[in-house]
Amino acid sequence: MPGQTLAEKIIAKAAGQETVTAGEIVTCRVDLAMMHDSGGPRRVAPILERLGAKVWDTDRVVVVTDHYVPAVDAESAHILDTTRKWVAANGVDNFHDMQGICHVVLQENGHLSPGMFVVGGDSHSPSGGAVGCFMFGVGATDMAGVLVTGETWIKVPSTIQILWSGNLSNGVSAKDMMLAACAKMGMGGGDYQVIEYAGETISGLSMQERLTLCNMAAELGAQTGIIAADQKTADYVTAAGGNPGDIEKWQGDADAAYRAVHEFNANTLSPQVAAPHSPANSSGVENHAGQNVHQAYIGACTGAKLEDLKMAARVLKGRKVASNVRLLIAPASTRTTAEAAADGTLATLTAAGAILMPSGCGACAGYGAGVLSENEVCIASTARNFKGRMGPGNSDVYLASPYTVAAAAVAGHIADPREFLNGGGA
Amino acid sequence: MTEPVKEGGRAWLFGDEVDTDVLAPGIYMKGSMEEMASHCLETVDPAFAPGVRPGDIVLAGANFGIGSSREQAAQALTILGIKAVVAKSYGGIFYRNALNFGLLAVTSQADITASPEDRLMVDGEVGKVTNLTTGETWGCDPVPPHLLDMIAAGGLVPSLERKLAAQQVK
Ligand code: SF4
């Protein structure tokens, strides 16, 4: 019997088979289905109504409001109201209303654990792979099918390994790793297969940094990203109130077949910046130094978790945001805000002149507060900088790590964050 | 149990990398699905949308439907009456959407040869593509029976509708 990759093992379990082969089509039992206010109830409810069908297992459904929170107009208020009413009418208890961005909230609350087969109604659902589960994004039709039957079909993807060796230098983070991977592999490099991150650098990363890696598997065009669980994963899941189970069970076999292996070295990685309008348009920060910005945005599931805020705080401590820039910070969850308030991070950020925003998707996809005006330039810790995503088509978004976004806020233009970190920690 | 899906129709030929913007152009997103479908593939073959007849088949190269997750890319083809697509490979999300909208999308690595007016037959059950005009045959990946049922029913939602109705009768 040939070795199985981690993703293949999870799919096989969900399909009730011993093994699966890449390219094979199987039907899987879904362990959990996640929806948010934008793609969730308002889109699936009409299909369920047409079918006259009920949710197969309300305990296996999680609903989060994050895209349109807090409501800014009648339309967004209506979307939130629709979501709340659907959740109540269908008896879904796992409802996180205005508690933060779905991918972060899901992990914070222990909903995910290694070996699970999960679907999410959002393109950054690969984030779930950070805890060693197989989670991928589906559209409304697929989601409706899952809600009715508890099953979905899948064409078993092959696995592409991204191997990282070495240690990240001061001022360099998971976001830089992903921008470098996007530059090298391109936005189609993931080819709707699974990206498995491995190697000593990954072992050394925190769970929040691992989330950033898996989150941006979407920018590589992968079906999902995944990281095999280790002790850190087990401890994290337990602390979040979940049950990590037997993590030894959810490791790829040593002789598993990978479609490709891409090797990267963290020792030589410098802070990266993606120029408009693609994450693949990335290169070292030095190539963009001096680029003027109007707004610096620290937000999104990708770049506003507690550790992301701490990175920004290390740059901002004892400094002021430049007068020509506005620094907006939208913590990824209300828990992030509470933790950052408790450990002093928030005070450092606000003392520097940062403007604190509600927890939610905010300006990331152009839905919420903090969008750009004509011809404005923003540097953001978000995942995507497609044309027009954060404002009009002629506005520009540069992507970077929270360190680099904070450095730009202080300098008034894009700058190397390492210049602001001499002397070390916050 | 519905009939195993076999589709036969005239071949429409396309190359590699036909993306979702070509299949469902973003500028028509606000209009009706019928209007969107009338512009399907017009930038690569203006004769396609006006000329397609129900039951026709799309024969394409690698990465058919690559691009965005928009379901309309698959839906547009079904509205025009396309019953099957044969390609070397697909954009992953398009492939899911195609089957969910009742489009028989099969993958074949073979160098299938057909001229524009040739009649093709796709047998998703055994995994065979036949050029009925020339008599040549090639292999393609078979589609599992339960997905063929779903396709025969017209896609995921109609097939669920059928299943649920059957349960109520019982
Ligand atoms: S923060 Fe941005 S990337 Fe994350 S779920 Fe919201 S819109 Fe998507």
Side-chain angles (χ1 to χ4, degrees):
Chain A
M1 191 175 86
Q4 297 266 289
T5 65
L6 170 55
E8 285 164 350
K9 285 188 183 181
I10 299 175
I11 294 168
K13 179 215 62 177
Q17 296 182 188
E18 275 292 302
T19 58
V20 290
T21 314
E24 181 185 355
I25 298 173
V26 293
T27 297
C28 292
R29 295 298 305 167
V30 171
D31 292 315
L32 193 78
M34 186 280 290
M35 294 184 281
H36 55 55
D37 50 346
S38 181
R42 71 180 178 132
R43 300 254 185 258
V44 296
I47 305 178
L48 295 190
E49 265 160 43
R50 171 176 161 192
L51 295 170
K54 292 234 169 316
V55 172
W56 100 103
D57 184 349
T58 48
D59 290 340
R60 292 186 183 276
V61 176
V62 179
V63 179
V64 178
T65 58
D66 58 1
H67 277 60
Y68 290 100
V69 301
V72 293
D73 53 20
E75 199 191 359
S76 50
H78 178 72
I79 292 169
L80 293 174
D81 184 48
T82 304
T83 309
R84 291 177 186 125
K85 284 185 176 142
W86 186 87
V87 162
N90 286 272
V92 174
D93 294 333
N94 299 315
F95 181 41
H96 301 284
D97 194 8
M98 297 182 68
Q99 290 169 16
I101 303 161
C102 57
H103 308 300
V104 175
V105 166
L106 213 54
Q107 299 193 19
E108 278 181 351
N109 288 279
H111 289 300
L112 302 179
S113 56
M116 284 174 77
F117 184 93
V118 188
V119 298
D122 187 86
S123 64
H124 284 97
S125 296
S127 305
V131 297
C133 62
F134 185 93
M135 179 168 178
F136 65 107
V138 297
T141 306
D142 261 328
M143 182 57 81
V146 169
L147 291 178
V148 174
T149 63
E151 294 180 342
T152 198
W153 64 274
I154 184 172
K155 184 166 186 174
V156 180
S158 55
T159 301
I160 298 170
Q161 204 174 38
I162 294 189
L163 274 180
W164 278 91
S165 57
N167 299 309
L168 291 172
S169 4
N170 198 12
V172 184
S173 70
K175 178 62 174 289
D176 300 301
M177 294 166 75
M178 284 315 295
L179 292 178
C182 288
K184 185 174 166 196
M185 295 167 64
M187 283 203 69
D191 201 14
Y192 207 63
Q193 309 302 311
V194 179
I195 303 271
E196 183 182 316
Y197 303 93
E200 55 175 346
T201 321
I202 311 297
S203 309
L205 288 180
S206 68
M207 292 305 294
Q208 290 185 1
E209 285 281 84
R210 292 180 190 183
L211 194 159
T212 305
L213 292 186
C214 290
N215 175 275
M216 287 191 69
E219 277 57 53
L220 288 170
Q223 181 170 20
T224 191
I226 196 165
I227 298 173
D230 57 13
Q231 195 52 45
K232 248 181 220 176
T233 319
D235 294 345
Y236 176 86
V237 171
T238 306
N243 177 8
D246 179 9
I247 58 171
E248 287 312 314
K249 218 172 135 189
W250 304 114
Q251 308 290 327
D253 291 329
D255 60 342
Y258 290 100
R259 164 150 148 179
V261 178
H262 298 271
E263 294 191 36
F264 292 88
N265 191 326
N267 293 329
T268 52
L269 184 67
S270 60
Q272 302 286 302
V273 171
H277 298 285
S278 164
N281 220 353
S282 296
S283 63
V285 64
E286 64 279 5
N287 297 322
H288 309 279
Q291 165 67 47
N292 196 43
V293 300
H294 302 89
Q295 175 167 306
Y297 184 74
I298 293 182
C301 44
T302 324
K305 302 172 290 299
L306 182 62
E307 283 177 39
D308 298 312
L309 302 195
K310 284 183 166 173
M311 291 179 207
R314 286 187 58 204
V315 170
L316 292 168
K317 193 174 175 82
R319 296 195 169 89
K320 288 279 178 210
V321 173
S323 57
N324 61 319
V325 178
R326 48 187 193 266
L327 170 62
L328 310 184
I329 300 185
S333 66
T334 50
R335 189 178 300 183
T336 307
T337 311
E339 287 173 354
D343 74 3
T345 303
L346 224 46
T348 304
L349 301 176
T350 51
I355 298 156
L356 197 62
M357 313 276 285
S359 289
C361 296
C364 174
Y367 294 124
V371 295
L372 304 169
S373 181
E374 306 279 331
N375 296 309
E376 281 196 326
V377 180
C378 178
I379 183 164
S381 66
T382 55
R384 288 183 178 155
N385 58 346
F386 299 158
K387 205 175 172 114
R389 184 168 164 93
M390 207 182 266
N394 58 11
S395 59
D396 281 344
V397 177
Y398 288 79
L399 300 176
S401 76
Y403 284 124
T404 309
V405 173
V410 168
H413 50 78
I414 296 180
D416 191 329
R418 293 171 298 188
E419 291 164 21
F420 299 88
L421 288 170
N422 292 337
Chain B
M1 183 72 196
T2 38
E3 285 289 296
V5 177
K6 283 200 185 89
E7 296 297 349
R10 294 177 310 158
W12 291 85
L13 313 182
F14 296 93
D16 294 341
E17 315 278 336
V18 172
D19 64 43
T20 49
D21 283 300
V22 172
L23 286 158
I27 46 167
Y28 304 110
M29 226 26 123
K30 290 213 166 90
S32 69
M33 255 327 290
E34 281 66 29
E35 195 201 337
M36 166 75 80
S38 72
H39 296 284
C40 179
L41 292 165
E42 72 182 356
T43 51
V44 275
D45 184 355
F48 176 73
V52 154
R53 279 188 238 137
D56 284 358
I57 287 172
V58 165
L59 179 61
N63 286 325
F64 189 77
I66 194 135
S68 87
S69 59
R70 64 183 72 148
E71 297 185 333
Q72 292 92 333
Q75 210 181 348
L77 289 173
T78 63
I79 286 176
L80 292 174
I82 290 289
K83 286 291 186 214
V85 181
V86 182
K88 287 226 156 98
S89 61
Y90 294 90
I93 302 176
F94 172 84
Y95 183 77
R96 279 195 81 83
N97 292 338
L99 270 55
N100 285 339
F101 274 95
L103 194 57
L104 176 63
V106 296
T107 311
S108 175
Q109 293 314 314
D111 289 311
I112 297 172
T113 47
S115 306
E117 286 292 307
D118 285 1
R119 289 186 64 77
L120 291 186
M121 170 73 83
V122 180
D123 185 332
E125 194 181 24
V126 298
K128 194 169 79 173
V129 179
T130 309
N131 185 328
L132 297 171
T133 311
T134 65
E136 282 178 282
T137 64
W138 300 270
C140 69
D141 293 345
V143 179
H146 68 277
L147 280 187
L148 288 176
D149 280 353
M150 180 181 88
I151 294 164
L156 178 59
V157 174
S159 89
L160 286 174
E161 209 162 25
R162 212 179 263 198
K163 269 188 208 149
L164 292 169
Q167 277 169 12
Q168 272 158 17
V169 171
K170 265 187 223 155

